[in-house]
């Protein structure tokens, strides 16, 4: 299989510039211009190298870098338009394997290609075998990975309690399906439903408060569902 490179950068022109310089008959290059799309790429494909801008407008790039490093051990090149030593040190300590100033001209792009090829060679020579362990769900800007108990909404990590996570996973894994109060109690609390939905309603309310964009719909006198929406 050819090496696969992923670029995460909210600057479309920068993505295209790097992609067309790195891509050839033996290397496939993809890019994502949003954090959500980038995370979905990483969770659903086996990439050889990640090149990401750590000065993203959408979120804290260093925090995202740390989260990605927890998820995946692939080589990461951090890039930024700043290029100062402090940011480089922060990127390396956050999990990056290399750091470069965002390439603009031919020399910069050549440098990016050489660094990328070096990481690809190191990665493949170590006979790295990656077995994807992710059973994920992606729904309306929501990405969840139950093995690692992580959840991201539109690229930002969600801070959920155990029951909030379990309920959201149940709904998001089956978008559009209505779960009755009895089913939710049985699968999330492992208890028999006793006729009061107050506990469930409070958890849904907290989820909506944490992420107002979540499309969790109450079905009158029946239960809840999460509405599928194009990402």
């Amino acid at each position: 299989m050819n090496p696969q490179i992923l670029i995460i950068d909210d600057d479309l022109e920068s993505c295209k510039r790097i992609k067309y310089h790195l891509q050839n008959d033996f290397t496939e290059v993809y890019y994502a211009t949003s954090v959500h799309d980038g995370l979905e790429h990483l969770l659903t494909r086996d990439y050889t190298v990640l090149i990401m801008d750590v000065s993203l407008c959408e979120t804290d790039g260093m925090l995202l870098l740390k989260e990605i490093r927890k998820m995946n051990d692939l080589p990461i090149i951090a890039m930024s338009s700043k290029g100062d030593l402090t940011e480089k040190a922060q990127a390396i300590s956050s999990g990056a394997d290399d750091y470069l100033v965002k390439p603009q001209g031919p020399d910069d792009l050549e440098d990016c290609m050489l660094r990328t090829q070096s990481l690809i060679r190191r990665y493949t020579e170590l006979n790295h075998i990656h077995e994807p362990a992710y059973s994920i769900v992606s729904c309306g800007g929501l990405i969840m990975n139950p093995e690692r108990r992580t959840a991201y909404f539109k690229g930002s990590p969600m801070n959920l309690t155990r029951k909030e996570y379990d309920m959201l996973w149940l709904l998001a894994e089956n978008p559009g399906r209505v779960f009755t109060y009895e089913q939710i109690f049985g699968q999330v609390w492992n208890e028999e439903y006793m006729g009061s939905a107050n506990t469930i309603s409070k958890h849904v309310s907290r989820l909506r408060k944490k992420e107002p964009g979540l499309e969790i719909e109450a079905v009158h006198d029946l239960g809840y569902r999460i509405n599928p929406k194009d990402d």
Side-chain angles (χ1 to χ4, degrees):
M1 177 187 270
N2 290 337
Q4 297 187 75
I5 300 167
L6 175 65
I7 305 163
I8 300 178
D9 188 352
D10 51 17
D11 182 342
L12 178 58
E13 291 306 313
S14 174
C15 287
K16 290 179 177 179
R17 190 163 51 243
I18 298 170
K19 172 186 169 75
Y20 296 137
H21 197 83
L22 298 184
Q23 186 160 280
N24 55 46
D25 291 341
F26 307 103
T27 306
E28 300 172 27
V29 183
Y30 304 85
Y31 60 77
T33 56
S34 74
V35 174
H36 171 76
D37 289 347
L39 289 172
E40 189 164 25
H41 269 278
L42 284 171
L43 289 167
T44 54
R45 302 188 67 138
D46 187 11
Y47 287 96
T48 315
V49 173
L50 168 65
I51 302 172
M52 67 167 286
D53 185 0
V54 292
S55 43
L56 297 163
C57 298
E58 196 177 343
T59 190
D60 183 331
M62 296 300 177
L63 177 60
L64 178 63
L65 181 55
K66 289 179 181 178
E67 291 294 324
I68 290 174
R69 178 49 74 215
K70 291 177 187 176
M71 291 164 32
N72 203 314
D73 61 356
L74 85 169
I76 301 174
I77 298 177
M79 64 178 181
S80 171
S81 55
K82 294 180 182 178
D84 62 73
L85 188 58
T86 301
E87 187 178 64
K88 179 178 180 179
Q90 189 178 2
I92 297 298
S93 66
S94 297
D97 297 277
D98 201 351
Y99 175 91
L100 55 80
V101 178
K102 187 177 288 191
Q104 299 291 336
D107 289 346
D108 295 338
L109 289 165
E110 188 69 14
D111 181 47
C112 178
M113 183 181 71
L114 291 172
R115 291 169 186 252
T116 304
Q117 288 175 343
S118 175
L119 287 175
I120 289 173
R121 186 166 56 251
R122 188 192 315 167
Y123 189 73
T124 53
E125 284 178 356
L126 288 173
N127 296 317
H128 182 84
I129 300 174
H130 176 63
E131 294 291 339
Y134 302 110
S135 171
I136 69 161
V137 67
S138 176
C139 174
L142 175 68
I143 296 177
M144 301 183 74
N145 174 1
E147 279 78 17
R148 294 184 180 270
R149 302 290 292 184
T150 56
Y152 298 85
F153 186 69
K154 295 185 177 177
S156 298
M158 298 178 67
N159 183 21
L160 303 176
T161 66
R162 182 179 182 84
K163 294 303 183 187
E164 288 169 354
Y165 191 97
D166 291 345
M167 183 187 297
L168 187 57
W169 170 259
L170 176 66
L171 298 175
E173 192 182 21
N174 302 273
R177 174 182 168 183
V178 177
F179 281 87
T180 65
Y181 302 130
E182 291 87 348
Q183 289 171 324
I184 295 172
F185 253 102
Q187 295 193 48
V188 176
W189 276 268
N190 197 27
E191 295 177 6
E192 184 180 352
Y193 178 61
M194 303 301 291
S196 174
N198 287 342
T199 300
I200 297 174
S201 298
K202 287 177 182 178
H203 279 72
V204 171
S205 179
R206 286 202 294 265
L207 283 170
R208 287 171 172 163
K209 187 175 181 180
K210 289 181 177 181
E211 290 297 348
L214 286 172
E215 297 285 323
I216 301 177
E217 179 188 359
V219 180
H220 186 62
D221 288 338
L222 185 59
Y224 290 93
R225 68 181 165 200
I226 194 164
N227 288 316
K229 198 163 97 176
D230 291 337
D231 295 341

